[in-house]
Amino acid sequence: MQRVPAIELSHVSKTFQLNDGRNILALDDISLAIREGEFVALLGPSGCGKSTILRLIAALATPSAGQIRVEGVAPAELSRAHRLGVAFQDAALLPWLSIAANISLPFRLAGYPVDQARVDDLIRRVGLADFAHARPSQLSGGMRQRAAIARALVLSPEVLLLDEPFGALDAVTRRSMNLELMRLWSAQQITTLLITHDVAEALFLADRIIVLRPRPGRIAHEVDVPFPRPRDAAIMRTEQFHSMADTLTNMLADGFDEQA
Amino acid sequence: MQRVPAIELSHVSKTFQLNDGRNILALDDISLAIREGEFVALLGPSGCGKSTILRLIAALATPSAGQIRVEGVAPAELSRAHRLGVAFQDAALLPWLSIAANISLPFRLAGYPVDQARVDDLIRRVGLADFAHARPSQLSGGMRQRAAIARALVLSPEVLLLDEPFGALDAVTRRSMNLELMRLWSAQQITTLLITHDVAEALFLADRIIVLRPRPGRIAHEVDVPFPRPRDAAIMRTEQFHSMADTLTNMLADGFDEQA
Amino acid sequence: AETPSLPVVRLKLGWIANVQYAGEWIALDHGFFRNQGLDVTWTAGGPNAPDPAVMLAAGRADLSYMSWLPFLDAVARGNDLVILGTEMPRNPLGVISLPAHPVRVPRDLLGLRILAQGINETTSINAVLAIAGLPQKWTFVPAGFSPDPLLDGQGDAFVGFDTNQKLTLEMMGLKQDRDFIFTNFADLGFVTPAALLVTTRAYLAQNRPRVVAFLRGLIQGWTFNETDPAVAARLVVEKYGEDYGFDLDQQILQNRSQIPFTHYRGMPSRPLLSLDRDMMAGPMYAAARAAGRTALPDIDRIADFTVVPEAFKGI
Amino acid sequence: MKYVTRFRAAITATVGFAIVLVLWQVIGSTKLLGPTFPPLSSVIASLTVPYRRHLYIRASLATLSTAAWGYGIGQAGGLATALLGHLLPFCRAGLDRLASVIHAIPMIALGPLFMAVLSPAWAGTAIAAIGVFFVSYIAGCTAIESAAPTHRDLFQIFGASPLRRLWLLDVPSALPALVTGLRQAVPVAFLGTILGEWFGSAHGLGLLILSAMENFQIALLWSTVILCCGLSLVIFVLLGYVERIVGRHYR
Amino acid sequence: MKRFLACWWGPCLLLLAWQVGVQASGVNQIVMPHPMAVIMDIASNPLVYGRAAARTLLVAVPGLTAGLAMGGMLALLCQFSAVMEYLLTPLAMMLSSIPVVAIIPVLSRLFGYHMTTLVVIVAIICFLPAFVYMHAGLRSVPAGSLDVFSVFGASARMRLLLLRLPASVPSCMTALRIAAPTAILASLTAEYLMQTGGLGALFRITTAEFRSERAFGCSLVAMVLSVCCFFVALHAERAVTRRWQ
Ligand SMILES: Nc1ncnc2c1ncn2[C@@H]1O[C@H](COP(=O)(O)OP(=O)(O)OP(=O)(O)O)[C@@H](O)[C@H]1O
Ligand SMILES: Nc1ncnc2c1ncn2[C@@H]1O[C@H](COP(=O)(O)OP(=O)(O)OP(=O)(O)O)[C@@H](O)[C@H]1O
Ligand SMILES: [Mg+2]
Ligand SMILES: [Mg+2]
């Protein structure tokens, strides 16, 4: 008997209306199942509907057609139970709270007592220990993004959705954040969906990579990542890693050419 | 007799005050000279002061100590003479102007007649020909960034400052923009300072790469890039390129480890 | 445009442009002023308008209507003003009270809660008590234009006009002496005319013929008014006060009820507009002293009793 | 879908209005607030009687023209002063204080004074202008500084002269806040005009309110108040549309 | 002194213009008194002015507080229920387009010529900016923050307490800045029209008695109070806004 997938999209479409009345088919007949504890990365050219998929799973939007289930229930149930963690591409920190207060916000929203030790631990892990009491406006772009990642993780969610969370980070910080995320994920096996522009990042972190193609947004390819876990940075220097990265880049470029 | 450097920072420091009263030394005793027509890339971990250096050179901030000269004069002179081009990390387009009008804005600001041929050429080069009359809000993030780059270049500035201009682009679009920038730069040899997170991008474009390390922001390494010009995408597949990329990544990682 | 060369006389009314100025409206409409060779212009007053004395002092009016006590105050502040006559020798202001606490003599005011609109009304009460040698024992309850707080029991008496609030009550269906009592201030011992016609001494000295001519036209107007109270009311509603949205019936009623106040009581032969020297020297000065005005100027310094008779001679 | 929600909002707003009106009728006809608060029906009756039509039109036109002059003069003065403060930053603090002091001069003192030294026709205009001046100065100052910091950086980098910056950046980005200020000043202009009319004007809705009160014409009083609110509301709502359009364009 | 002049040259010029204007035109002092006479009157009768000013403040401060509280509460109600929103928004729009001071006589007739009526009037006048700005402020949440609250499963209460209320603080301060000086001036006008004590009534009485220096003195005191309120509120607003960016 197969277990229920943690996240399941069946024949999901999403249409947007532009204000001149035209309809845009952002997603067209997407079917996708993510197992519990699986790490899936979503790749695709700009504007192909990646963020839209994430917003549908987070119940921030409703599909125009098709159905979405998260752990067998409607997606809104999950956030209502405080079992969802999300980091958006822009950090969306509250400007009047300090970094520490922003990171402990999910505790307050859930009505749980704030686990200060966990908050401090996460602040340290994302390298912001010195800035716990600074305001978001006093941080650089990359620092703000790291705070948003810490906030997504602080409640130990069962499902984690990350929308290009490392976009504003330099390569090294990015890799170290990748490693940190890998460590946290290994300890808990959170079901994770990661949107990224970085092929290497996707290969390093994910169990499975889904490549979207644009206009309308459709699944172009699915690639299983064969590297055994636990992984460390060394795999990124292997021949297989490089060749897979090239393959994926070509897949993306195909999508791009079709678009142009 | 040596010629005057195009950009010269001597013993520049910059201190910020956090709201808990603590001072942050964002830049500490930075000395740096950029020759006329040189392309320098700035690498460094998040929060090490890259954007701050750029803002100092653009006269958007004043150093707490030290001196900055651009072509022998104070940096503010340069922008006053309309000889500076800048692209920020966020596109900063005027929302009420069309893309074409945004790109021709520097002409109007300088009081020059608009060179429509040049504007059209640049719009074409950054791949926005179909969107010349669209408004910024109708473009995706990546498209907006490309418009900002075109705007920075439109006056054929003598000094070009780019703050992570390709950050919101997917890998494929990014490479094609790199090639376009290379072509434009080769034709005019503008003195350029590029902030980037992408080591390969820095190696492909720059004559010299400066690696910063954080807390306080200091110059950690300077690396001359040996690849002969004109370069094409093929050099990115050479052994030397890969090994230099690894070296630079390690240099960055050093800085990061010190930080942590 | 037809008579551009006529000399202009600027009149400042003491109140809004209602039927209270019936004589003026008739004189304007029937050309009584024009026949006298005058072009009379006017500006209305109102509850919040600057005092006529201010307009005289600022040189924005030549003639104006004033009350007795403010007139004295303005003179005391160094304005050389002269009273020429009075439109209403009998003041319609009085006290409206309910049968439960009827006010007929000054003593009845003691201990009452009295609804009044402003300083003019409260001064009158205080003067009545002072003249009667009684203590100032009453409570001021601020009120507005309408007498219905009296009916609500918010006060025991209401200071109002015979020609206005009393009519309002009657239009509500109440009857005088059965449902309410109205006692004029003159009957309580406080005698002042209501509308004194005032100018500056300088203007009178330089333009005496003009002033006389004005008075002639005005007297003709008031005389005409007595023949048909509806004429002036209609002029107010349809022409001069058309922007006030007056009710014609109410204006006719008010005009009819105000006509007796333009005559001296018991002296029907006294000409219209004339100021009685004895009344001024006697009750009016007494009232001023009772209201706390000291160092009153000599009567001939502030009044000219010859202008109105001169005007009458020419009619 | 957008249209559906907008339609629903309009319907519910109408229902909201209707409830308010019904409440008025009920309170008025039960005399819950005394004889000074008449039922809506008698107010409407008084508003629609034919013989008063000309009166209402005349009064409205008089008030509108006074208010319009005051509004125009006040806006021009306020915006010019705000611009002056923007161009000459060293006078800014002084102008701030001057504006707040002018705003603080009580209208009850100014009204009679203007009446005596200006003419009755200009007193209302002057009072309205002073009120509008302050609102438009404050709105102008906020608006002219609402350009995004990154855009300001951009203009500095491209070496824009102060005048070009004003014309190409400060003014366009000020427009939305400016229109908001234009809108907020409308009731202020009406208020100033009506107060001015109380201090001895010979026309206008303010005069009508006053005289209706003095003569206990309660229905006339309320219908004038309604007329006054209606006029102000119409302009307010029209400017609300302009505000929305400008906001969409410049944000 | 130099710094004082740099900030206050405007009002000083105004005062100078007044003095010169009165002197040059030679108008009677019942039209316009000399500024020196006014200042002397204030200086020699501090008790008279103090008592009247205290009464005015006694109207203005409770009125301001009540108005701000009411406006804030109703704006909150609008957050909670769509029905309230649709009922209140047109009402508020209607009210905000009405020159409320213009119907003071009507209101005083409705509620009686008491101190409470004065407070009610001031409260109505202050209610409007509070409602409008709070209403806008409760909506001006930072971009993306509503999504954040939604994915972390915040309850409506949490959304209000931790997001909307803090986000509305700057707007709240703006409302205060606009309402505070207006409260003083509105109570002055209401006292004048209703003649119920305070600076406004003193103004009316003294005007009627042609004691223009006392009347102008009342205006001057009210002006100073109002300007003080404005600047106190302005500084509070600036301090808060800086923190909120
Ligand atoms: N609210 C909206 N209204 C109209 N169209 C929208 C809306 N949101 C998204 N779209 C459209 O849907 C398509 C997919 O957008 P989406 O944000 O999911 O792209 P993406 O894959 O996340 O791109 P990027 O990599 O640039 O973030 C785009 O064409 C976009 O124009
Ligand atoms: N306005 C400010 N107030 C206080 N501190 C600031 C301010 N601006 C920058 N800083 C601090 O200065 C340091 C350098 O910031 P900067 O923005 O230059 O970093 P960066 O190298 O551009 O980083 P990133 O790659 O993340 O954009 C950071 O530690 C930041 O906290
Ligand atoms: Mg996206
Ligand atoms: Mg930066």
Side-chain angles (χ1 to χ4, degrees):
Chain A
M1 199 191 79
Q2 259 241 268
R3 279 169 64 202
V4 182
I7 302 175
E8 185 172 27
L9 282 73
S10 21
H11 307 290
V12 166
S13 300
K14 177 73 185 176
T15 318
F16 285 111
Q17 191 168 30
L18 293 188
N19 45 357
D20 57 4
R22 269 189 307 144
N23 282 331
I24 280 208
L25 188 58
L27 294 177
D28 183 27
D29 195 33
I30 301 271
S31 291
L32 172 68
I34 302 178
R35 288 190 314 277
E36 205 176 310
E38 193 183 16
F39 195 126
V40 172
L42 215 51
L43 281 176
S46 179
C48 69
K50 305 182 294 294
S51 299
T52 307
I53 291 183
L54 183 134
R55 292 178 61 82
L56 289 173
I57 297 174
L60 294 172
T62 48
S64 310
Q67 211 195 17
I68 302 172
R69 306 255 94 187
V70 181
E71 305 195 340
V73 295
E77 298 289 319
L78 198 73
S79 50
R80 218 169 291 144
H82 318 294
R83 279 154 47 200
L84 180 65
V86 179
F88 297 102
Q89 192 168 2
D90 71 323
L93 303 173
L94 296 188
W96 56 84
L97 294 181
S98 69
I99 295 304
N102 262 296
I103 292 176
S104 57
L105 185 71
F107 281 113
R108 297 169 70 196
L109 294 183
Y112 302 155
V114 175
D115 180 348
Q116 199 58 49
R118 174 149 181 92
V119 172
D120 292 343
D121 177 51
L122 274 168
I123 292 181
R124 208 179 31 71
R125 277 169 187 261
V126 297
L128 292 176
D130 286 351
F131 292 88
H133 301 294
R135 296 192 174 276
S137 64
Q138 292 165 326
L139 263 55
S140 77
M143 294 162 122
R144 274 186 288 229
Q145 256 192 347
R146 287 184 266 158
I149 297 167
R151 184 180 59 189
L153 290 166
V154 76
L155 278 188
S156 310
E158 285 170 30
V159 173
L160 184 63
L161 305 174
L162 304 171
D163 192 351
E164 299 178 30
F166 309 120
L169 296 181
D170 60 289
V172 178
T173 315
R174 187 168 192 143
R175 286 294 161 261
S176 90
M177 292 301 299
N178 287 168
L179 282 168
E180 204 59 60
L181 180 61
M182 176 67 87
R183 230 169 296 166
L184 284 161
W185 180 84
S186 306
Q188 293 185 272
Q189 300 262 323
I190 310 161
T191 312
T192 304
L193 181 68
L194 169 78
I195 297 176
T196 179
H197 279 148
D198 186 337
V199 171
E201 182 172 279
L203 275 171
F204 178 64
L205 290 171
D207 296 318
R208 188 152 52 110
I209 296 174
I210 291 172
V211 182
L212 292 187
R213 91 165 127 217
R215 314 263 184 93
R218 284 205 186 126
I219 295 180
H221 305 273
E222 282 197 41
V223 177
D224 281 310
V225 181
F227 307 113
R229 293 186 187 271
R231 301 172 186 166
D232 66 17
I235 63 157
M236 293 171 109
R237 268 164 260 135
T238 63
E239 193 50 44
Q240 194 185 7
F241 191 95
H242 282 298
S243 82
M244 284 197 76
D246 288 346
T247 317
L248 279 166
T249 307
N250 287 336
M251 286 176 175
L252 274 168
D254 288 349
F256 199 79
D257 290 343
E258 280 175 35
Q259 178 190 12
Chain B
M1 199 189 82
Q2 258 240 269
R3 280 169 62 204
V4 182
I7 302 175
E8 184 172 29
L9 281 75
S10 22
H11 306 291
V12 166
S13 300
K14 177 74 185 175
T15 316
F16 286 110
Q17 191 166 29
L18 291 187
N19 53 342
D20 55 4
R22 268 189 307 145
N23 283 331
I24 279 212
L25 189 57
L27 295 176
D28 183 26
D29 194 32
I30 301 271
S31 292
L32 171 68
I34 302 180
R35 287 190 314 278
E36 206 176 308
E38 193 182 18
F39 194 127
V40 171
L42 213 53
L43 281 175
S46 170
C48 69
K50 304 181 295 294
S51 299
T52 308
I53 289 184
L54 185 133
R55 290 178 61 81
L56 289 173
I57 297 174
L60 296 172
T62 47
S64 309
Q67 211 193 16
I68 302 173
R69 305 254 97 187
V70 181
E71 305 196 337
V73 296
E77 298 289 319
L78 197 73
S79 49
R80 222 168 286 145
H82 319 294
R83 280 154 48 200
L84 180 65
V86 178
F88 297 108
Q89 193 168 3
D90 73 324
L93 302 173
L94 299 187
W96 56 86
L97 295 181
S98 70
I99 294 305
N102 261 295
I103 293 176
S104 57
L105 184 71
F107 281 114
R108 297 169 70 196
L109 294 185
Y112 302 156
V114 175
D115 180 349
Q116 199 57 51
R118 173 147 183 93
V119 171
D120 291 343
D121 177 53
L122 274 168
I123 292 182
R124 209 179 29 70
R125 278 169 187 262
V126 297
L128 292 176
D130 287 351
F131 294 88
H133 302 293
R135 290 188 175 271
S137 63
Q138 294 167 321
L139 264 55
S140 84
M143 291 161 130
R144 271 179 281 199
Q145 258 190 348
R146 285 182 266 159
I149 295 167
R151 183 180 57 190
L153 290 166
V154 77
L155 277 189
S156 312
E158 284 170 31
V159 172
L160 184 62
L161 305 174
L162 303 170
D163 191 352
E164 299 178 30
F166 310 120
L169 298 180
D170 57 290
V172 180
T173 317
R174 186 167 192 145
R175 284 295 162 261
S176 86
M177 288 305 299
N178 286 169
L179 282 168
E180 204 58 58
L181 180 61
M182 175 67 84
R183 232 168 295 167
L184 282 162
W185 181 86
S186 305
Q188 293 185 272
Q189 302 261 326
I190 311 159
T191 311
T192 304
L193 182 68
L194 169 77
I195 297 178
T196 181
H197 283 148
D198 186 336
V199 171
E201 184 171 277
L203 274 172
F204 178 64
L205 291 171
D207 297 316
R208 188 153 53 109
I209 295 174
I210 290 171
V211 182
L212 292 187
R213 90 165 127 218
R215 312 276 181 83
R218 283 202 188 129
I219 294 180
H221 305 276
E222 284 196 41
V223 178
D224 282 311
V225 180
F227 307 113
R229 293 185 187 272
R231 301 172 185 166
D232 66 19
I235 62 158
M236 293 171 110
R237 269 165 260 132
T238 62
E239 192 51 45
Q240 194 185 8
F241 192 95
H242 280 298
S243 83
M244 283 199 75
D246 288 345
T247 317
L248 279 166
T249 308
N250 287 337
M251 285 176 176
L252 275 167
D254 288 351
F256 198 79
D257 290 345
E258 280 175 36
Q259 178 191 13
Chain C
E2 39 186 299
T3 51
S5 55
L6 290 184
V8 174
V9 171
R10 298 167 302 165
L11 174 66
K12 166 79 186 157
L13 307 180
W15 195 243
I16 57 180
N18 66 1
V19 82
Q20 181 180 340
Y21 303 98
E24 276 85 350
W25 308 136
I26 290 175
L28 280 167
D29 188 62
H30 290 31
F32 297 161
F33 289 134
R34 215 178 312 114
N35 294 343
Q36 298 291 333
L38 290 183
D39 178 12
V40 172
T41 62
W42 54 275
T43 42
N48 309 304
D51 196 279
V54 174
M55 297 299 266
L56 284 179
R60 302 204 64 88
D62 302 320
L63 295 163
S64 76
Y65 286 107
M66 288 187 72
S67 299
W68 173 228
L69 294 177
F71 171 83
L72 287 176
D73 292 335
V75 170
R77 301 291 305 216
N79 290 281
D80 202 359
L81 303 178
V82 187
I83 303 176
L84 303 171
T86 171
E87 200 167 75
M88 287 202 185
R90 285 176 58 206
N91 195 327
L93 193 65
V95 180
I96 305 171
S97 52
L98 297 179
H101 295 280
V103 174
R104 293 202 174 86
V105 293
R107 181 171 302 280
D108 293 340
L109 290 168
L110 291 180
L112 294 192
R113 293 170 301 139
I114 300 176
L115 294 148
Q117 290 192 57
I119 183 163
N120 188 24
E121 286 77 7
T122 54
T123 316
S124 302
I125 300 270
N126 287 335
V128 166
L129 293 173
I131 292 169
L134 293 168
Q136 310 279 342
K137 253 183 60 194
W138 62 285
T139 315
F140 168 56
V141 182
F145 51 93
S146 99
D148 60 287
L150 175 67
L151 307 178
D152 293 350
Q154 289 176 31
D156 305 310
F158 183 97
V159 182
F161 285 97
D162 196 321
T163 50
N164 189 335
Q165 279 85 3
K166 196 182 101 179
L167 297 183
T168 306
L169 288 179
E170 284 173 347
M171 289 208 290
M172 285 170 156
L174 280 76
K175 254 186 99 68
Q176 189 168 0
D177 295 330
R178 185 191 71 193
D179 302 311
F180 67 92
I181 289 98
F182 183 88
T183 310
N184 195 288
F185 270 113
D187 298 328
L188 292 170
F190 178 64
V191 182
T192 61
L196 301 168
L197 186 61
V198 173
T199 186
T200 58
R201 182 169 301 283
Y203 187 79
L204 180 63
Q206 284 160 23
N207 302 288
R208 190 176 173 99
R210 243 184 249 180
V211 175
V212 170
F214 172 83
L215 281 168
R216 256 179 219 143
L218 192 55
I219 290 164
Q220 286 171 332
W222 277 108
T223 313
F224 186 96
N225 185 46
E226 297 190 5
T227 63
D228 183 0
V231 174
R234 205 166 286 126
L235 282 176
V236 167
V237 174
E238 289 164 6
K239 191 166 175 188
Y240 297 105
E242 58 171 1
D243 286 321
Y244 291 83
F246 291 122
D247 182 50
L248 180 62
D249 294 334
Q250 192 267 348
Q251 290 290 299
I252 294 177
L253 215 59
Q254 177 168 348
N255 194 12
R256 190 169 289 135
S257 73
Q258 79 179 347
I259 288 175
F261 290 92
T262 61
H263 296 281
Y264 284 87
R265 186 168 6 198
M267 289 186 276
S269 59
R270 279 208 84 78
L272 283 169
L273 288 163
S274 63
L275 182 62
D276 183 48
R277 189 183 185 108
D278 296 339
M279 176 177 80
M280 191 166 166
M284 279 171 70
Y285 267 72
R289 274 188 289 273
R293 270 42 173 204
T294 52
L296 297 174
D298 183 58
I299 191 162
D300 286 312
R301 271 212 51 220
I302 55 170
D304 189 323
F305 298 96
T306 62
V307 190
V308 174
E310 190 181 332
F312 258 98
K313 266 184 225 127
I315 294 174
Chain D
M1 211 169 89
K2 216 167 171 184
Y3 292 103
V4 174
T5 43
R6 203 179 287 168
F7 184 66
R8 256 224 326 259
I11 296 236
T12 339
T14 318
V15 171
F17 255 120
I19 293 176
V20 172
L21 298 182
V22 167
L23 266 179
W24 182 342
Q25 176 69 21
V26 169
I27 293 175
S29 49
T30 52
K31 296 243 176 292
L32 223 60
L33 288 174
T36 327
F37 195 86
L40 182 64
S41 51
S42 68
V43 174
I44 289 175
S46 147
L47 200 56
T48 48
V49 287
Y51 69 87
R52 286 228 178 99
R53 189 176 310 138
H54 285 293
L55 175 67
Y56 288 134
I57 291 176
R58 249 189 350 262
S60 305
L61 287 182
T63 297
L64 272 178
S65 80
T66 311
W69 275 104
Y71 186 81
I73 295 171
Q75 284 288 356
L79 294 181
T81 315
L83 198 61
L84 193 72
H86 180 66
L87 293 179
L88 309 173
F90 59 91
C91 337
R92 181 60 204 280
L95 286 175
D96 267 354
R97 282 161 178 80
L98 182 64
S100 71
V101 165
I102 289 181
H103 171 63
I105 303 176
M107 294 198 180
I108 54 170
L110 273 187
L113 189 66
F114 282 161
M115 216 64 188
V117 298
L118 295 173
S119 73
W122 284 100
T125 307
I127 291 179
I130 286 183
V132 171
F133 168 82
F134 183 70
V135 173
S136 106
Y137 174 74
I138 295 275
C141 284
T142 316
I144 204 87
E145 269 150 32
S146 57
T150 51
H151 290 158
R152 262 183 247 159
D153 288 351
L154 187 78
F155 272 61
Q156 192 189 326
I157 281 161
F158 285 116
S161 67
L163 222 69
R164 285 223 167 75
R165 187 183 119 151
L166 181 72
W167 185 239
L168 293 173
L169 177 64
D170 292 337
V171 168
S173 43
L175 277 180
L178 225 52
V179 178
T180 308
L182 286 183
R183 185 170 154 194
Q184 282 171 345
V186 170
V188 177
F190 269 89
L191 169 60
T193 305
I194 283 165
L195 270 182
E197 284 165 352
W198 285 358
F199 292 111
S201 162
H203 325 274
L205 294 169
L207 183 74
L208 212 50
I209 291 178
L210 198 73
S211 124
M213 266 179 330
E214 291 300 338
N215 294 299
F216 207 64
Q217 292 164 289
I218 297 303
L220 175 65
L221 170 65
W222 279 99
S223 44
T224 313
V225 168
I226 285 202
L227 203 58
C228 197
C229 300
L231 281 178
S232 173
L233 187 65
V234 165
I235 302 175
F236 198 72
V237 168
L238 283 182
L239 280 175
Y241 276 106
V242 178
E243 190 178 8
R244 209 175 300 159
I245 292 167
V246 171
R248 207 179 303 144
H249 200 80
Y250 285 90
R251 242 166 232 147
Chain E
M1 185 63 202
K2 212 165 160 187
R3 268 199 55 200
F4 175 84
L5 265 188
C7 288
W8 293 97
W9 52 263
C12 291
L13 274 183
L14 226 55
L15 213 65
L16 199 71
W18 177 6
Q19 176 74 47
V20 169
V22 170
Q23 222 135 43
S25 66
V27 292
N28 192 295
Q29 54 173 335
I30 69 168
V31 181
M32 186 131 101
H34 284 252
M36 269 326 284
V38 173
I39 290 165
M40 286 296 291
D41 191 63
I42 297 177
S44 46
N45 299 288
L47 228 70
V48 176
Y49 285 101
R51 212 174 295 133
R55 263 201 79 157
T56 300
L57 283 177
L58 224 57
V59 169
V61 173
L64 179 66
T65 319
L68 292 180
M70 280 286 292
M73 297 267 271
L74 289 187
L76 275 182
L77 269 182
C78 283
Q79 281 305 313
F80 274 120
S81 105
V83 177
M84 285 311 280
E85 160 108 57
Y86 287 129
L87 198 75
L88 287 173
T89 314
L91 196 66
M93 195 162 80
M94 213 155 69
L95 276 177
S96 60
S97 69
I98 296 178
V100 177
V101 175
I103 55 169
I104 285 178
V106 182
L107 295 174
S108 51
R109 198 36 226 108
L110 281 180
F111 300 115
Y113 284 73
H114 316 296
M115 192 93 154
T116 36
T117 309
L118 288 175
V119 175
V120 167
I121 288 169
V122 176
I124 290 179
I125 289 168
C126 297
F127 155 82
L128 291 171
F131 179 79
V132 170
Y133 280 91
M134 276 293 282
H135 196 253
L138 286 168
R139 275 143 197 275
S140 65
V141 296
S145 57
L146 275 175
D147 287 349
V148 170
F149 273 61
S150 166
V151 299
F152 287 116
S155 61
R157 203 174 66 95
M158 285 297 176
R159 200 168 300 202
L160 182 73
L161 282 181
L162 295 179
L163 181 60
R164 294 203 182 277
L165 277 183
S168 72
V169 168
S171 311
C172 228
M173 301 307 292
T174 309
L176 179 68
R177 164 168 63 96
I178 292 179
T182 310
I184 303 275
L185 294 176
S187 21
L188 188 78
T189 310
E191 283 166 354
Y192 169 82
L193 290 171
M194 288 169 52
Q195 307 178 44
T196 41
L199 288 169
L202 187 60
F203 176 89
R204 180 156 207 146
I205 293 171
T206 48
T207 307
E209 291 170 349
F210 302 109
R211 281 151 66 197
S212 51
E213 62 283 336
R214 178 73 46 95
F216 275 72
C218 289
S219 309
L220 205 63
V221 171
M223 274 171 70
V224 170
L225 284 180
S226 151
V227 170
C228 285
C229 283
F230 178 80
F231 279 101
V232 168
L234 183 70
H235 283 293
E237 183 189 9
R238 288 209 178 127
V240 165
T241 317
R242 217 172 297 134
R243 253 201 74 153
W244 248 251
Q245 263 163 4

